[in-house]
Amino acid sequence: MSEALPPPTEPSAADRSWCLWASVLVGAFTLISLILALIVLPSRSETRFDPFTAICRALGIPGYAKIPPDPGAATASAPVSNVAWTVETRRLLSNASATRGATIAKDTCGVCHGEDGKSVDPAQFPNLAGQSEAAIFKELRDFQSGDRKSDIMQPIAASLTEEQISDVAAYFATRPRADLRAADSGVLLKISTLARIGDPARAIPSCDSCHGLSRSGPEAAPLLLGQSSPYLEQQLKDFGTGERHNDFFKRMRTIAHQLTPDEERRLAIYYQGMPASN
Amino acid sequence: MEGRAVTYRADRLILAHFGVAFATFAVAIILGAWQMTVRSGLNPVFTSPEAYFASVTAHGTIMGYVMPTLFVMGFGYFVAVTSLDRPLPNTRLAWIGFWLIMAGVVMAMAPVLAGKATVLYTFYPPLTGSVFYYLGLVLVVVGSWFWIALMIWAMSDWKKDNPGKPVPLAMFGNVANAFLWLWTTAGVAAELLFQAIPASLGWTQTIDIGLARTLFAWTLHPIVYFWLLPAYIAFYTMAPRAAGGRLYSDMMGRLSFLLLVLYSLPVGMHHLFTDPEHGTGFKFLQMMLTALVTVPTLLTIFTIGASMEIVGRLRGGRGLFGWIGALPWDRPMVLATGLSFVLLGFGGFGGTINMSYGMNAMIHNTSWVTAHFHLIYGGSVVTMYFAIAYEFWPKLVGRQPLSLKPIRLQLWLWAIGIVVTTFPWHVLGLFGEPRRVATFDYANPAIAFWQPWTIVSMIGGYIMLAGGLLFVWNLVTLYRGPEADRQMHYAVALHPPQRVPSALNGFALCNWLLLFLMLMAYGYPIGQFFFIKDYPAPIHRVDLGG
Ligand code: HEM
Ligand SMILES: [Cu+2]
């Protein structure tokens, strides 16, 4: 290796021209790309050259899209439920008060569902103790709007405000549930497999994936364990015929109409459960 | 240039980094093979969606963060002491960084194994895992910042003592990677500290998913180049010498490293082409900038090709391609370079599809993507990690391998495994098979024909697994080998540089240009979330199990 050169005292001409040309190249490339991205391409096939609109469109600022939203799209299909899991809904639920809910439960729901959420006639009225807050909230709102039909529940739900509904949902969610486990010894293996794993050949997903204790499915899927079997069976039949239709994306209707009456009955028994200590 | 022994008490430091990197790697490839088996519908033991996604999280976290970070750090320390021929400026700081990472790895992996952080390795809220997962990864990043500081410090000390001399090319590439990593981690660090960690502690009800995805994209692309740079450094500074020749051009190496830093950062939005939170304008700009990454790649293929051609012709190769056959393919570094180039070629082709704004929609979130990065990263990059380990390990422990045969076998197994795994995987992606899905219903006639392809791909996975485990075995048997020379020699350039412009001997200009490009590319896209629109979403805590 040759002897070390003397240390440079000032940036040499070569250094300066590297800096200059590198900056010019990078800057020019960026500028050309930006002109293409913000003006040329977004104004393609426009009759009038309008750079302001083109830039707003390229930046994604609302109101400048090329294709106006289809006004018919919103009305084309009626929603199955008016509940939406927006941030506002979540906020409503997280501000709910179980204490306020307790009063409503006593005055209004207790007669049928039991003050502590243990139903007086589980075959007709579901147990609400320990049910998920989101599920109770959604069903009450659906009764209110008529998306789920019930001669008894509709007027009751209609008399409650959104806040009251979330309060009462919060209250029942905190009530202790009976200590149960699925009645797997009471049904065929085929049935418990259906509940736990599903039936890929019929594109039936596992019930537990949405309704199980460690479920991670849709927000408002209720817990099934501990409802009476006649009640559950009736719901499956209603979904199967489309009589009940407040399930988003027809999730339950698609599944239920594939179940045989025997499967419906046995799945209902499975989820009615048995004492956990058994 | 004289050879340098690895002394200066850095040996144990480097071995610690490499050791943990490859130990976790061995665990991760076992998980990978199991994941392939689950996806192929053969129902291996423990099949369940929960287990699958916990496994993918562990596999991705190890392969994406733990293994490469430790490898690159160990590599950097090795290159610093051997190419500059002096001790690290501060070995104690290096060890502190290492132990921070160890603490972070344990802290992050525990919740993953407990199923409390099944969020995969890309931080895409509203899915949010245990806070310990995020804190652990913060420690990993902070530990690696010690390395960055040491690399920059080592180079500037050396420059002070050697005014006017060009920084050795290997060290130059290494410091390029340190700066690259500093810029890269800024995005994910911001996301973790200001979004993911507050969310996982329950301090906030909602999280801005648009901002989070943008910050992660800031990191997601350059992190790939951080993984890649040691491979490129080996191409330039090790492969030509291993073949018995010289590097065709030192200048091209410097230029490539600088361009890789420059054009890996302002481009991450190409991962968000189908996302709604950005308009088309900045997506297009970042696509244009992405395309520039072909420049350093082509420079490298040209330079290394030329270096090798000289060797091949000196060894008697004739004709247009005869020199290729004349190269000493029995040497691991040469073989690895060849295999790596081939895999890089296929992977690069796939990559141009991914980065094209229009075509991206065809393959978005399909198996094509997983196939692509296994080919580039698992294939061409990790192959070079193997070759680097085979080069460095004997110098670190002073032992030679007993035989080169198992080493060549290992490299071939891995390359064949990669091809058999990823080619069918690409095809499946074109058929629309989604990535990150645990099980498929092959009884459904619409997708029944996927299964044979997934089974072939799974077999490739097991070939890779065999190659990966043989690699670990080869390192273990090294300790029984005969004494070895501990001098590290880097490739010498055909015309060794006497003096290079300061733009090619330091990073000031590069960093200024990068600042400009980042402001142009991300200024508006990030600013809009604060001033124009936001995308709050309710947080979904996977660690709460409900
Ligand atoms: C025996 C070798 C390997 C096999 C069989 C394998 C297999 C797999 C499989 C099946 C997945 C999940 C794909 C999905 O669910 O869509 C995956 C993901 C992944 N693999 Fe590998 N892999 C192997 C080696 C590697 C290597 C060497 C690397 C990188 C160095 C790597 C990096 C990753 C990453 C980053 C992910 C993404 C995780 C995520 O999606 O969050 N893998 N791998
Ligand atoms: Cu990318």
Side-chain angles (χ1 to χ4, degrees), chain B residues 25 29 32-33 35-36 39 52 56 59-60 63-64 67 120-122 370 373-374 377-378 382 414 425 435-437 461 464-465:
Chain B
F25 169 80
I29 54 177
Q35 287 155 208
M36 294 302 257
R39 282 170 69 92
Y52 181 82
V56 174
H59 176 87
M63 294 302 202
M67 184 278 282
L120 308 183
Y121 85 116
T122 41
T370 355
F373 68 71
H374 278 82
Y377 177 31
V382 170
W414 186 261
W425 226 354
R435 69 184 285 204
R436 292 182 166 179
V437 168
M464 280 168 79
L465 177 61

Side-chain angles (χ1 to χ4, degrees), chain B residues 273 282-291 355-357:
Chain B
F273 281 152
F282 283 91
K283 288 177 180 170
F284 183 86
L285 171 70
Q286 295 211 9
M287 180 201 75
M288 291 292 280
L289 291 166
T290 307
M355 61 138 272
S356 301
Y357 195 166

Side-chain angles (χ1 to χ4, degrees), chain A residues 237-251:
Chain A
K237 285 200 189 323
D238 289 350
F239 275 127
T241 56
E243 174 75 23
R244 182 175 167 186
H245 47 68
N246 64 329
D247 52 332
F248 290 119
F249 309 122
K250 293 194 178 174
R251 282 182 186 115

Side-chain angles (χ1 to χ4, degrees), chain B residues 220-222 224-225 267-268 270-271 290:
Chain B
L220 187 52
H221 192 74
V224 176
Y225 286 82
V267 302
H270 63 218
H271 295 263
T290 307

Side-chain angles (χ1 to χ4, degrees), chain A residues 1-8 10 12 14-15 18-19 22-23 25-27 29-30 32-34 36-38 41-42 57-62 85-87 90-91 94 199-203 213-217 219, chain B residues 1 50 163-165 205-206 251 255 262-263 277-282 284-285 288-289 291-292 440-441 443-444 496-504 509 513 516-517 520 524 528 532-533 536-540 545-546:
Chain A
M1 187 163 260
S2 67
E3 280 304 292
L5 297 159
E10 58 181 71
S12 69
D15 287 351
W18 266 94
C19 286
S23 309
L25 280 177
V26 168
F29 188 87
T30 311
I32 294 172
S33 303
L34 278 174
L36 277 174
L38 297 181
L41 292 174
R57 179 183 295 148
L59 294 180
I61 293 174
W85 295 105
T86 58
V87 174
R90 274 291 274 250
R91 220 164 256 151
S94 63
D199 181 0
R202 285 186 287 167
L213 284 177
S214 66
R215 71 203 194 288
S216 59
E219 195 79 38
Chain B
M1 201 181 291
E50 288 82 5
K165 275 202 204 162
Q205 288 287 310
T206 61
M251 177 95 137
L255 210 52
L262 211 52
Y263 294 126
E277 69 269 22
H278 295 291
T280 56
F282 283 91
F284 183 86
L285 171 70
M288 291 292 280
L289 291 166
L292 286 181
F440 297 96
D441 170 20
N444 177 347
Q498 300 298 313
R499 181 89 207 270
V500 291
S502 55
L504 298 184
L509 175 64
L513 290 177
F516 167 75
L517 284 174
M520 297 310 281
Y524 177 84
Q528 65 166 0
I532 300 168
K533 50 188 173 186
I539 290 158
H540 185 89

